[in-house]
Amino acid sequence: MQSGFSWRVAVFLLPALCIYALFSAFPLLDTLRLGLYTANENGVRSFAGMDNYITILQDPQWSHAFWNAMANNLKFFGIHMVFQNPIGLLLAALLSLKNVRFSATYRTIFFLPTLLSVVIIGFIWQLILSPLWGVSERLLGLLGLGDWFEPWLGLESSALFTVSLMSVWQYIGIPMMLIYAALIAIPEDIVEAALVEGATPWRIFWFIRLPLILPTLGLVTILTFVANFNAFDLIYTVKGAMAGPNYSTDILGTLFYRTFFGYQSQVASPTMGAAVATIMFLVILCGVAGYFLAVQRRLQRFAL
Amino acid sequence: MKSNLRLVAASALILCNTLAHAGNLTIESWRVDDKTLWEDVLLPAFNKIHPDITVKFAPTSPPEYNSALNARLTAGTAGDLITCRPFDVSLDLFKKGQIDALNGAPGLKNFPESAQVAWQTDDGKSTYCMPMASVIHGFFYNKRVFAEMGLKVPETEAEFFGVLDKIKAAGKVAPLALGTADQWETNQIVFTSIGANHWKGEEGRKALIAGKKKFTDPEFVSTFDVMAKWAPYLPKGYQAQTYGDSQNLFGTGRAAIYPAGSWDISYFEQNSKVDFGAFKPPVQKAGDTCYISDHTDIAMGINSKSPNKADAKVFLDWLASKEFADLYTNKVTGFFSLSNHKIDVKNPVAKEMISWRNQCKSTIRLNAQIMSRGTPSMENELWNVGSQVINLKMSPKEAATQIQTGFAKWYAAAK
């Protein structure tokens, strides 16, 4: 065993490091830099320090748009945490039970939407929910709930919730798979010992299986958080970059898009867009750091 | 041997020359619907005269066009010819030096000053895009439905609502095919079209720019009032109805009236069998002067980073020719050439719409010039408040106040 610096390790690290630096680290640093500049109408850039950030947080129009997007993004994340992950856990728990017939088929079916393109998902759900050609009104009618039907995607009160549920429907396969993998990794003899002791399946789940998969649940939470705060494509597909009605589905991703690339007659502003992107980066960074400090360190892992 | 060498040299020279001449041009555009017309009609006509220039038409869908074009221009990967949106969006490209000035281009002589304004600097000194066409806004109506119910084409707002009431009472088809999910129609097809009769077209528009009028004045608020009155006549669940849905409703004969831009003519001609006519935005009371939104919509400029500007100029000159004006007006139905050439419009609906120019006064979209320049962007604001007014979530007064406040924020004359 050699100790100290090893050339071999350096050589093997080099390709990955180069690619990562070139396509990930450098663009990120350049975005941070660009957010400190401003451009005049002729596109000439000059250093502006924290001006962009002050504008975003203090100008009434900007700050209203920003905090609205931030609040919507938090709701978007909240809906995923309340629906996607618990349902994913439930499905995984059911699938990992013994003697479930066709469990492989179910697993595939639940996972399928994840593989489809977001554009297709958005389009299909828009059609299903469409007040003109959709089937949802008729289906509700069959249940005698025809009066309950509303153009959910077009109402300020329900648009964000509806879009979030579409996203939940699409991505539920991922937490399900991760948790399922953790569940089947639990050694049988622990569960059998508990059974011999007279524990009910219910108790076994709450007191044996759940504590053992907590690290995975933490991982799922953090993955959901990062994905939701980077979300853009579904909203853009279903509601466009204006994220209507009245910006009720506007999240940080769509706000960034409008700012950076411009939209209709809103002229593109790469410098302001970079500032918005930097704020998004900081939000995600703080979220992840907070999670690691507060939660990850306390998680107990059991050597199985 | 020597002669052989000479032959080789000569042929190499000829080859090099043809290579230098065989230009390739790419056109950036948002007219996805016209792709086949460009490829089958317009470009072959151009190649008859200039067989050595290969032109490719590469459109991006309208909502993404401005942003995608911006990104490509910045990255240096944009096409040689840039289809220009009117006024501020293109002015911004010119100010950033991304499209060239066309001053002195021979083709510009064929266009009246009024057609060039949309692609000139504020002082009128530089023109940077070759004007192509304008669009006219109004309403399409299903002729069969009108005939069956014995309805007359409405002239005034009272008659318009009378017709809507009758269609609604009959309950067979939707009175108005309009939704607010995509938002843009509420401004570009509705507000700036029906409002021209309220604010007297150019008079009101110029008064706003001069700061003599405010959006909170009665003529602007009353336009929002009319829009709010439309709500009961829209299809069920119109809040989630997209532009495509509206087109389908009217195209399949399930709606009687469709608020339209003239570009819709070519869509319905190609994709539906509906027999439709057009009527102009109704005036407030009988005998009023009528105003139409006759909007300078589309032009073409040269990418300043294009490696092939000589050929691009040749193409723009052809755009200014009578041949192009005729082809564009009659093949890409619903776009009216802006040039001085006398063009016979063949399509009956397009002919009807262009005839309004002689009966009414023309104006461009209210907020197109100067007003959408600042932050917040008035165009985007108008989409938002327009759809909220039709959704009955915002009162006409609130809508007008929000637009005026946003305008006054950055525009000195509006304060």
Side-chain angles (χ1 to χ4, degrees):
Chain A
M1 276 303 289
Q2 282 182 324
S3 62
F5 183 76
S6 153
W7 277 107
R8 209 175 308 155
V9 172
V11 167
F12 278 111
L13 277 178
L14 198 65
L17 190 71
C18 282
I19 290 172
Y20 179 76
L22 189 66
F23 292 106
S24 207
F26 168 70
L28 179 71
L29 294 172
D30 203 44
T31 303
L32 301 183
R33 183 192 63 85
L34 187 59
L36 301 173
Y37 281 74
T38 185
N40 68 3
E41 58 176 17
N42 300 326
V44 181
R45 284 180 192 160
S46 55
F47 187 77
M50 298 305 281
D51 282 5
N52 291 340
Y53 298 96
I54 292 166
T55 307
I56 291 173
L57 297 172
Q58 299 208 328
D59 176 284
Q61 231 114 17
W62 274 103
S63 72
H64 172 77
F66 172 75
W67 288 114
N68 170 53
M70 189 71 157
N72 287 339
N73 222 143
L74 281 167
K75 283 181 204 156
F76 189 68
F77 173 59
I79 292 165
H80 278 77
M81 287 305 290
V82 170
F83 290 94
Q84 176 185 282
N85 299 345
I87 295 175
L89 174 64
L90 176 73
L91 292 175
L94 292 174
L95 286 176
S96 66
L97 289 176
K98 276 216 169 58
N99 313 327
V100 180
R101 292 180 67 191
F102 308 124
S103 74
T105 317
Y106 286 125
R107 212 168 52 209
T108 314
I109 289 173
F110 292 137
F111 195 72
L112 263 184
T114 308
L115 306 175
L116 290 176
S117 136
V118 178
V119 179
I120 295 174
I121 302 272
F123 187 70
I124 290 173
W125 274 104
Q126 254 182 306
L127 272 183
I128 293 172
L129 298 173
S130 161
L132 293 170
W133 349 95
V135 291
S136 40
E137 190 168 11
R138 196 167 299 168
L139 286 178
L140 282 174
L142 290 177
L143 300 172
L145 304 173
D147 298 342
W148 285 27
F149 180 78
E150 298 273 355
W152 292 293
L153 275 175
L155 301 176
E156 228 175 295
S157 50
S158 57
L160 180 64
F161 190 67
T162 313
V163 175
S164 307
L165 286 186
M166 284 183 203
S167 169
V168 166
W169 179 85
Q170 176 172 14
Y171 289 117
I172 194 129
I174 291 178
M176 181 193 83
M177 278 296 181
L178 289 168
I179 296 167
Y180 175 76
L183 282 171
I184 56 174
I186 297 172
E188 275 310 304
D189 46 3
I190 301 183
V191 179
E192 275 165 12
L195 272 171
V196 171
E197 296 280 341
T200 56
W202 197 239
R203 265 184 82 89
I204 290 175
F205 177 78
W206 282 108
F207 290 92
I208 295 173
R209 291 179 148 197
L210 196 63
L212 289 175
I213 58 163
L214 273 181
T216 308
L217 291 182
L219 173 78
V220 165
T221 304
I222 211 70
L223 283 177
T224 309
F225 176 78
V226 174
N228 285 175
F229 274 83
N230 277 321
F232 159 77
D233 41 14
L234 184 71
I235 307 269
Y236 184 76
T237 307
V238 177
K239 299 305 301 176
M242 288 273 289
N246 192 21
Y247 298 107
S248 62
T249 50
D250 198 22
I251 56 175
L252 291 171
T254 41
L255 176 72
F256 161 75
Y257 176 90
R258 282 199 310 276
T259 315
F260 188 90
F261 291 109
Y263 189 63
Q264 277 317 103
S265 67
Q266 179 179 344
V267 171
S269 168
T271 49
M272 206 69 182
V276 175
T278 305
I279 295 181
M280 285 168 75
F281 170 70
L282 291 176
V283 168
I284 293 170
L285 192 72
C286 293
V288 175
Y291 166 83
F292 275 117
L293 286 174
V295 183
Q296 187 81 6
R297 284 191 313 171
R298 298 193 189 159
L299 279 178
Q300 295 183 336
R301 291 179 181 278
F302 299 92
L304 293 171
Chain B
M1 189 70 217
K2 242 187 185 164
S3 62
N4 262 355
L5 266 181
R6 270 198 203 136
L7 203 66
V8 169
S11 53
L13 199 69
I14 290 166
L15 193 70
C16 285
N17 268 339
T18 48
L19 277 179
H21 274 295
N24 283 325
L25 294 173
T26 306
I27 300 177
E28 296 275 358
S29 174
W30 68 87
R31 294 297 309 158
V32 179
D33 296 356
D34 308 337
K35 191 168 193 282
T36 40
L37 288 163
W38 275 93
E39 283 166 359
D40 301 348
V41 179
L42 298 169
L43 295 177
F46 172 72
N47 282 137
K48 269 206 181 102
I49 311 168
H50 301 280
D52 52 343
I53 304 177
T54 323
V55 190
K56 193 164 143 256
F57 186 73
T60 317
S61 77
E64 279 107 36
Y65 178 71
N66 297 9
S67 4
L69 177 68
N70 255 318
R72 283 201 285 269
L73 283 168
T74 311
T77 55
D80 310 85
L81 291 155
I82 310 291
T83 306
C84 303
R85 299 262 196 199
F87 297 103
D88 296 341
V89 174
S90 295
L91 182 61
D92 179 64
L93 298 180
F94 177 68
K95 278 184 179 162
K96 286 184 180 154
Q98 290 172 319
I99 46 179
D100 280 346
L102 300 178
N103 296 347
L108 286 173
K109 291 197 307 291
N110 299 335
F111 297 92
E113 196 55 33
S114 62
Q116 296 185 34
V117 174
W119 299 281
Q120 277 176 341
T121 45
D122 292 357
D123 56 16
K125 281 196 178 122
S126 292
T127 308
Y128 41 84
C129 297
M130 188 67 73
M132 284 165 69
S134 69
V135 290
I136 294 175
H137 299 82
F139 294 87
F140 292 168
Y141 66 99
N142 184 320
K143 282 185 171 167
R144 200 175 50 83
V145 171
F146 269 55
E148 276 173 8
M149 298 183 59
L151 297 168
K152 245 177 28 31
V153 165
E155 297 279 336
T156 64
E157 279 178 9
E159 287 172 16
F160 181 73
F161 283 107
V163 166
L164 290 178
D165 280 326
K166 281 186 186 139
I167 300 167
K168 190 176 175 171
K172 282 193 191 131
V173 292
L176 267 176
L178 177 77
T180 54
D182 290 348
Q183 305 194 54
W184 64 267
E185 310 97 297
T186 58
N187 180 43
Q188 299 185 0
I189 297 180
V190 182
F191 180 75
T192 60
S193 165
I194 64 170
N197 282 320
H198 288 239
W199 56 72
K200 298 200 165 79
E202 288 294 278
E203 198 181 308
R205 191 178 73 82
K206 290 193 165 132
L208 280 175
I209 293 175
K212 293 196 182 89
K213 289 256 177 215
K214 287 184 156 52
F215 276 90
T216 43
D217 291 343
E219 58 266 52
F220 302 100
V221 179
S222 63
T223 306
F224 284 122
D225 276 330
V226 174
M227 283 163 71
K229 272 199 225 153
W230 282 18
Y233 304 102
L234 300 179
K236 191 181 169 205
Y238 64 88
Q239 297 94 334
Q241 180 179 325
T242 62
Y243 176 64
D245 290 340
S246 307
Q247 285 182 318
N248 277 324
L249 267 184
F250 186 75
T252 50
R254 290 167 54 182
I257 298 175
Y258 174 88
S262 53
W263 65 85
D264 283 312
I265 296 174
S266 65
Y267 173 85
F268 288 123
E269 294 282 327
Q270 286 174 55
N271 300 301
S272 95
K273 298 200 167 43
V274 69
D275 181 20
F276 64 101
F279 63 85
K280 50 185 181 287
V283 291
Q284 284 173 282
K285 46 183 203 298
D288 280 358
T289 315
C290 59
Y291 295 85
I292 53 164
S293 169
D294 179 0
H295 184 70
T296 43
D297 187 57
I298 185 166
M300 201 175 283
I302 299 176
N303 178 353
S304 59
K305 289 202 182 75
S306 162
N308 195 359
K309 287 186 189 176
D311 285 339
K313 282 184 179 138
V314 171
F315 189 83
L316 286 193
D317 272 340
W318 181 72
L319 279 193
S321 68
K322 180 169 179 175
E323 182 192 25
F324 177 82
D326 187 47
L327 280 175
Y328 202 70
T329 303
N330 285 312
K331 294 288 183 202
V332 190
T333 319
F335 283 92
F336 305 107
S337 169
L338 286 165
S339 68
N340 295 324
H341 306 108
K342 276 267 170 281
I343 305 294
D344 258 345
V345 181
K346 296 189 180 73
N347 176 289
V349 181
K351 205 172 179 144
E352 164 70 26
M353 288 181 109
I354 205 164
S355 75
W356 300 341
R357 280 184 183 169
N358 309 326
Q359 307 160 26
C360 311
K361 291 186 170 165
S362 287
T363 176
I364 54 168
R365 286 185 194 151
L366 181 72
N367 57 302
Q369 189 182 17
I370 298 178
M371 291 187 231
S372 295
R373 226 171 255 193
T375 307
S377 155
M378 193 189 289
E379 175 76 18
N380 299 14
E381 289 268 292
L382 278 166
W383 291 16
N384 183 14
V385 300
S387 27
Q388 284 196 76
V389 165
I390 297 180
N391 289 352
L392 304 177
K393 291 274 178 217
M394 190 181 229
S395 76
K397 261 210 169 54
E398 284 169 350
T401 311
Q402 181 172 332
I403 298 293
Q404 183 59 36
T405 315
F407 190 31
K409 199 180 154 199
W410 61 272
Y411 191 68
K415 283 190 171 68

